[in-house]
Amino acid sequence: MSTTSFTKRTLGLETAEPAVTPPPATNNTTFAKKPKLASKSRKRDIPEGLWTKCPKCSSMVFDKELDENLKVCTHCQYHFPLGARERITSLVEPSTFEEMDADMTSVDILSFTGTGSYKSKLDKYLKSTGLKDAVITGIGKIGEHQVGLGVMDFSFLGGSMGSVVGEKLTRMIEQSTKRGLPAVIVSTSGGARMYEGMFSLMQMAKTCGALAYHATARLPYISVLTDPTTAGVMASYASVGDLIIAEPGAMIGFAGPRVIKDTTQSELPPGFQTAEFLLDHGLIDAIVPRKELKARLVSYLTFLTPRAKQSAAA
Ligand SMILES: [Zn+2]
């Protein structure tokens, strides 16, 4: 160490001169090329936005392949979140979906402010997702069956249920009742939207009330739970289906596991709050992989709809 520092000092001239002037270009051409070669790294072979890393098995999945497989990992069958529009496309016959209340948007009734105002959050998600709120509703055809369909989208404020989500779903259910159609709701939600306080909690009773009328008319309602379906949504319309089906590995529950653990002061069993655990304990009726969902819905709807009604709808 000491020898090298000594030799450097003996060079003298170089260290005394500040290295402000650039080195002559002629001599350094071969040297200057080297970093260029080095910068031709592997990143060029894997362009950004073409591959997605699977959070379950850590393998890189080609985005196009993932889209073709309905956002299910081709290696481990992990079900990635699916947007509401993509979900509707995957379930409904082409050009049969008539959207309802497409322009209904949330209002900041309470002038809520916390880490950010509710208004600013709404504006942010309106821009980033292209959605007006966390649910899309309408009437469409699944196979031969005309159904009322509501599909939630987790990317809009965690799929939280505010007045708009509750109202759109209620109107869809009421319209289904009126027209004698089965109702299908695909849920994914973090729960009630706390920015709307009590107004969001009221949606639990409102949607369930509409479903009760729907049941009185002896019309089926199928609830599909996707990852995650929790809290106020799970405690209302998501859990009152005539049939409740879930996607594999979906997290389903009311409160989070940490809260339950703290409240009950006990260890939670392995796999707690997963679709598989709930199926074992009788809370849901079936687990259906995404690629089979449409076919299964068709067979369930055929089973649940009397023949007379089927021919009338056709
Ligand atoms: Zn995977």
Side-chain angles (χ1 to χ4, degrees), residues 33-51 62:
K33 272 184 182 172
K34 272 194 174 175
K36 269 197 170 179
L37 281 168
S39 73
K40 197 181 177 183
S41 66
R42 282 178 192 173
K43 276 192 176 173
R44 277 200 182 170
D45 301 325
I46 308 171
E48 267 181 47
L50 278 180
W51 298 80
F62 193 33

Side-chain angles (χ1 to χ4, degrees), residues 53-61 72-80:
K53 191 178 180 183
C54 172
K56 194 179 169 193
C57 71
S58 298
S59 51
M60 298 297 283
V61 196
V72 176
C73 175
T74 45
H75 302 272
C76 71
Q77 307 306 310
Y78 169 76
H79 284 50
F80 284 81

